[in-house]
């Protein structure tokens, strides 16, 4: 933390603006060594102002025309002295500016090192640091709102409330242990049992919001499966509104899977058209069908596309047995005068059925509404919901398990001084979420997932 780091802070590729960020004690000196103001009476850097000028490399070589911002610590993102060079957004230009900074004593930043320094300097807690990356990676407006609430400290405050409940219980247990002969107020076992149950349930409820919000934040995987020539590729093209998948009368046109992203009224969805299932096939087609089955095992929802005129085949029956929770899409309904008889037969009876004619776009919007309802279940979580990510969810589950074990020990009559060890562990686990008690391994696991420059 005593050196100065540098990295490109904007995405790779060409753009109007690209930012090179410096953080550390030598940030100002390195920036001034490169920067030459366009103002004749330039009096030095003013904090939190943009200064116009040029970057000149070694030997006075022109590198770029830039704007320079200077933010002295601790009033900066990292809590250290920070300088940002706003350059033209070409990859070659940005790399040259970074190389000039490195030549003057800076070190190339590692993944997430700017955010890690912000955490270590007390500018953000660990939930807020993770929210920064979640905001960068947000795939929907809902995901932006959830990340924004965490960045505002909502989840950290909720974790703080839970820790406060545990620490209050621990204090009362300590009173009973330290002053056993005195008449001091102490929790009776029945009241302790009740409060432990309430706190444990609050942890589980908070952890459960991860599953409820996951598809809104990370996106849902929806797989189109079924026999060859059932119309999966036609359905994918109808959903996308473009001819993304090749459609022919030849069975087995799709031999691998095709993936595209769509939004269903704010819900991000990864839509995958897979190789058709049939008994025979060459090695390439068999590999494609194996990938189909792997995708179905990971899917949030499987759409089983069936030719409504021909009816389900053996592969469709096998698939229905493997994946009980799927939506049946009866395609080519334009070829029928009415509802086919197999709709009411087992194993299709009672399942969600969506009749469509993908070739003409009939019933596609109704199918998409069904997909959204099946995947999302209900309304999107509001921006005031403190929704944990996977790491935070797992920590909440671990803390809840400590309380569950403590409940069993309390019912078995274990002494209060031994019970308090469980509370200590649960508090420590909650401290991992906000970073107050996180190990170096936990911090590295969090920040190594960040991009360089963030």
């Amino acid at each position: 933390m005593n050196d100065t780091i540098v990295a490109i802070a904007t995405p790779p590729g060409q753009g109007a603006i690209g930012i090179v960020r410096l953080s550390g004690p030598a940030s100002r000196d390195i920036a001034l060594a490169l920067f030459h103001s366009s103002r004749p009476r330039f009096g030095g850097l003013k904090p939190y102002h943009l200064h116009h000028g040029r970057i000149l490399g070694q030997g006075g070589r022109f590198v770029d025309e830039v704007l320079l911002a200077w933010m002295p610590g601790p009033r900066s993102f990292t809590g250290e002295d920070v300088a940002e060079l706003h350059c033209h957004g070409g990859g070659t230009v940005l790399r040259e500016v970074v190389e000039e900074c490195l030549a003057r004593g800076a070190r190339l930043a590692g993944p997430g090192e700017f955010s890690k320094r912000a955490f270590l300097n007390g500018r953000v807690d660990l939930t807020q640091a993770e929210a920064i990356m979640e905001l960068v990676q947000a795939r929907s407006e809902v995901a932006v709102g959830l990340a924004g609430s965490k960045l505002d400290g909502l989840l950290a405050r909720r974790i703080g409330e839970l820790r406060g409940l545990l620490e209050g219980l621990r204090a009362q247990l300590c009173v009973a242990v330290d002053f056993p002969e005195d008449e001091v107020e102490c929790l009776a076992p029945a009241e302790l049992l009740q409060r432990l149950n309430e706190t444990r349930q609050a942890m589980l409820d908070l952890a459960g919001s991860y599953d409820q919000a996951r598809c809104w934040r990370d996106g849902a995987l929806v797989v189109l499966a079924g026999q060859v020539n059932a119309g999966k590729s036609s359905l994918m093209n109808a959903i996308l509104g473009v001819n993304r998948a090749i459609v022919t009368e030849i069975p087995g046109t799709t031999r691998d899977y095709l993936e595209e992203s769509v939004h269903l009224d704010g819900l991000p969805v990864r839509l995958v058209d897979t190789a058709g299932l049939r008994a025979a096939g060459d090695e390439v087609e068999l590999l494609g069908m194996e990938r189909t089955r792997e995708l179905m095992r990971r899917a949030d929802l499987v759409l089983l596309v069936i030719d409504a005129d021909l009816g389900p085949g053996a592969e469709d029956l096998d698939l229905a047995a493997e994946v009980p929770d799927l939506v049946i899409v009866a395609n080519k309904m334009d070829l029928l005068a009415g509802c086919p008889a197999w709709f009411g037969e087992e194993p299709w009876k009672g399942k969600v059925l969506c009749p469509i004619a993908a070739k003409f776009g009939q019933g596609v919007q109704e199918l998409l509404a069904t997909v959204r309802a099946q995947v999302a279940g209900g309304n999107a979580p509001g921006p005031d919901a403190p929704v944990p990510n996977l790491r935070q969810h797992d920590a909440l589950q671990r803390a809840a398990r400590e309380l569950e074990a403590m409940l069993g020990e309390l019912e078995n009559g274990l002494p209060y001084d031994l019970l308090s060890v469980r509370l200590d562990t649960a508090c420590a686990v909650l401290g991992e979420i906000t970073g107050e008690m996180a190990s170096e391994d936990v911090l590295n696991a969090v920040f190594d997932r960040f991009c360089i420059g963030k």
Side-chain angles (χ1 to χ4, degrees), residues 135-158:
L135 192 59
V136 171
Q137 296 173 340
R139 301 178 58 189
S140 67
E141 290 183 11
V142 172
V144 169
L146 293 175
S149 69
K150 288 170 71 173
L151 190 57
D152 196 40
L154 185 61
L155 180 61
R157 289 193 290 274
R158 183 68 184 118

Side-chain angles (χ1 to χ4, degrees), residues 385-402:
V387 178
N389 61 24
L390 181 58
R391 182 191 74 85
Q392 297 153 359
H393 163 273
D394 291 348
L396 284 164
Q397 292 276 17
R398 281 192 288 132
R401 285 196 294 272
E402 287 295 327

Side-chain angles (χ1 to χ4, degrees), residues 233 236 244-246 254 256-260 271-274:
S233 297
M236 185 167 189
R244 174 64 178 87
I246 297 174
T254 303
D256 201 347
Y257 66 88
L258 299 174
E259 180 176 331
E260 292 290 340
L271 185 68
V272 181
D273 176 23
T274 61

Side-chain angles (χ1 to χ4, degrees), residues 71-201:
M71 293 158 280
R75 293 179 56 199
S76 70
F77 170 64
T78 63
E80 304 173 331
D81 291 348
V82 171
E84 288 186 348
L85 296 160
H86 295 231
C87 312
H88 289 94
T92 302
V93 169
L94 295 172
R95 284 193 297 272
E96 283 195 38
V97 174
V98 169
E99 288 170 4
E100 293 292 343
C101 293
L102 295 174
R104 288 161 176 78
R107 172 177 63 79
L108 194 63
E113 191 167 358
F114 291 95
S115 298
K116 187 174 184 179
R117 290 190 175 202
F119 165 74
L120 294 174
N121 288 322
R123 296 291 292 171
V124 294
D125 67 30
L126 200 53
T127 65
Q128 291 172 309
E130 289 176 290
I132 294 168
M133 202 60 204
E134 291 169 17
L135 192 59
V136 171
Q137 296 173 340
R139 301 178 58 189
S140 67
E141 290 183 11
V142 172
V144 169
L146 293 175
S149 69
K150 288 170 71 173
L151 190 57
D152 196 40
L154 185 61
L155 180 61
R157 289 193 290 274
R158 183 68 184 118
I159 296 299
E161 292 169 2
L162 291 172
R163 282 192 70 186
L165 292 173
L166 295 183
E167 287 166 357
L169 291 175
R170 184 169 58 179
Q172 289 189 284
L173 291 186
C174 288
V175 167
V177 172
D178 294 340
F179 305 98
E181 305 300 329
D182 298 338
E183 293 185 3
V184 294
E185 185 177 352
C186 180
L187 280 179
E191 187 178 354
L192 176 58
L193 194 70
Q194 178 184 347
R195 289 174 62 175
L196 283 173
N197 264 316
E198 291 172 351
T199 307
R200 174 180 170 274
Q201 190 58 52

